[in-house]
């Protein structure tokens, strides 16, 4: 799947709307994922996963910052996410199926906070973008 | 078999009561066709699906979306027996419509996203979790009779 110029424009515009809420939305997406898809919690046995957890907040910021970096370098995701790609392949080894689950929860979070901007076309572009990021993050798995 | 707590059932029914089935149905099917264009393979006779706006405004998409979501209402009424409630539809989707069950998962997730756009803050993580269980249960029930 290739991101068209229109997709890239939609993604950048959407991320602009997110603005300073990035960390909050990151944390919210994680919380949504842990509640809707309990097996995802198996990757965080060392975390307090209760509502409002400081660890989840911090991790949400990490995720948001990484996505912001990806948006800024949408023309070369492989280079921008190379270190994270190594991390996921060799250390974290999160099963690839889980990237779809977090991506879905990110979409739900954005849709609930910004329904007006979350048009079908923007929805499609963001879905493609998260899929592209996921592909890069799992690209060195084997 | 998926089991719903009393709380989950109440959460689901309360939200469902506020859904405009006709509007939401058209939007759900429309977004499915926009976001996952390969799903258009089942709708060759629907006319103009050439752009997002064409799809969202297409009267056949709206009508069929309404049909699909109305049927989903049966799920809300039969949460304790989804497999029974959708047995006939499952056979239809396998034998006559030849729809890959993966499409039910895709549509279910699109529905969850639409609920999020409509209900905003009210669509909390807990509410989403209950609905994810339902759409997953419906997808499984619709695939149950496949052979």
């Amino acid at each position: 799947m290739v991101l068209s110029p229109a997709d890239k424009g939609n993604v950048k515009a959407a991320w602009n709307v997110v603005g300073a809420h990035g960390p909050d939305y990151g944390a919210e997406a994680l919380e949504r994922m842990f509640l809707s898809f309990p097996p995802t919690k198996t990757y965080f046995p060392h975390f307090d996963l209760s509502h409002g957890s400081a660890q989840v907040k911090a991790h949400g910021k990490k995720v948001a910052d990484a996505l912001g970096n990806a948006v800024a370098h949408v023309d070369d995701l492989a280079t921008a996410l190379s270190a994270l790609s190594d991390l996921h392949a060799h250390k974290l080894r999160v099963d690839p199926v889980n990237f779809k689950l977090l991506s879905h929860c990110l979409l739900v979070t954005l849709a609930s906070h910004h329904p007006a901007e979350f048009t079908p076309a923007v929805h499609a572009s963001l879905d493609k973008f998260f899929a592209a990021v996921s592909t890069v993050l799992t690209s060195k798995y084997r | 078999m998926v089991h719903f707590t009393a709380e989950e059932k109440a959460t689901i029914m309360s939200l469902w009561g506020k859904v405009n089935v006709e509007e939401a149905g058209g939007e759900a099917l429309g977004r499915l066709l926009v976001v996952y264009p390969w799903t258009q393979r089942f709708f060759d006779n629907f006319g103009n699906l050439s752009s997002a706006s064409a799809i969202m405004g297409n009267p056949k998409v709206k009508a069929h979306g309404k049909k699909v979501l109305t049927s989903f209402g049966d799920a809300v009424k039969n949460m304790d027996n989804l497999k029974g409630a959708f047995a006939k539809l499952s056979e239809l989707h396998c034998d006559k419509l030849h729809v890959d069950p993966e499409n039910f998962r895709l549509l279910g997730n699109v529905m969850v996203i639409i609920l999020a756009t409509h209900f905003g803050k009210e669509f909390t993580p807990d509410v989403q979790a209950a609905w994810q269980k339902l759409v997953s249960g419906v997808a499984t029930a619709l695939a149950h009779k496949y052979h």
Side-chain angles (χ1 to χ4, degrees):
Chain A
M1 282 185 250
V2 172
L3 294 171
S4 69
D7 287 324
K8 293 176 186 178
N10 282 339
V11 169
K12 285 184 192 275
W15 208 252
N16 256 350
V17 170
V18 165
H21 295 291
D24 288 333
Y25 292 175
E28 185 182 324
L30 287 169
E31 184 180 6
R32 286 181 181 277
M33 184 184 72
F34 293 140
L35 273 171
S36 283
F37 310 108
T40 56
K41 295 188 291 184
T42 58
Y43 292 96
F44 299 90
H46 52 303
F47 265 33
D48 162 23
L49 296 180
S50 58
H51 179 69
S53 150
Q55 285 175 307
V56 173
K57 269 202 174 108
H59 202 69
K61 178 175 184 334
K62 256 190 193 168
V63 170
D65 287 346
L67 287 172
N69 183 41
V71 173
H73 298 93
V74 71
D75 287 319
D76 189 1
L77 290 175
T79 305
L81 298 172
S82 181
L84 271 178
S85 179
D86 288 329
L87 183 76
H88 282 78
H90 304 123
K91 188 148 173 270
L92 303 178
R93 291 170 292 184
V94 172
D95 191 286
V97 74
N98 295 288
F99 292 91
K100 278 194 185 175
L101 303 180
L102 181 57
S103 297
H104 171 67
C105 290
L106 282 162
L107 290 174
V108 171
T109 301
L110 293 173
S112 71
H113 286 280
H114 303 285
E117 288 87 350
F118 201 78
T119 62
V122 168
H123 174 175
S125 297
L126 283 168
D127 192 290
K128 281 172 82 172
F129 170 69
F130 291 141
V133 168
S134 302
T135 298
V136 169
L137 290 179
T138 55
S139 62
K140 301 180 196 175
Y141 271 35
R142 56 178 171 172
Chain B
M1 200 188 90
V2 64
H3 172 79
F4 296 89
T5 64
E7 209 178 35
E8 285 166 339
K9 286 183 188 175
T11 297
I12 288 167
M13 295 205 292
S14 142
L15 209 77
W16 187 251
K18 303 185 222 176
V19 171
N20 178 329
V21 169
E22 174 162 3
E23 225 178 69
E27 225 194 303
L29 187 62
R31 280 186 187 248
L32 182 76
L33 299 174
V34 168
V35 179
Y36 309 109
W38 54 92
T39 58
Q40 293 169 24
R41 68 190 300 284
F42 301 107
F43 304 104
D44 276 337
N45 62 335
F46 268 29
N48 186 4
L49 299 178
S50 60
S51 69
S53 52
I55 290 170
M56 301 309 291
N58 183 309
K60 282 190 172 174
V61 170
K62 287 185 185 186
H64 197 68
K66 178 181 174 190
K67 202 181 192 183
V68 169
L69 215 68
T70 301
S71 166
F72 202 85
D74 285 342
V76 177
K77 291 198 199 98
N78 292 284
M79 283 186 262
D80 288 328
N81 183 20
L82 291 174
K83 290 201 166 102
F86 285 96
K88 284 248 140 60
L89 271 177
S90 179
E91 283 169 8
L92 178 80
H93 280 76
C94 173
D95 299 330
K96 293 263 148 57
L97 304 177
H98 312 294
V99 175
D100 177 351
E102 179 58 23
N103 291 285
F104 308 142
R105 287 174 253 288
L106 290 178
L107 181 61
N109 278 338
V110 169
M111 277 181 58
V112 165
I113 284 173
I114 277 158
L115 291 174
T117 61
H118 284 212
F119 292 102
K121 282 198 168 67
E122 198 182 334
F123 200 67
T124 63
D126 281 317
V127 172
Q128 179 189 350
W131 275 90
Q132 295 287 170
K133 260 178 110 168
L134 182 62
V135 301
S136 164
V138 171
T140 301
L142 277 172
H144 186 65
K145 292 286 193 183
Y146 272 57
H147 59 97

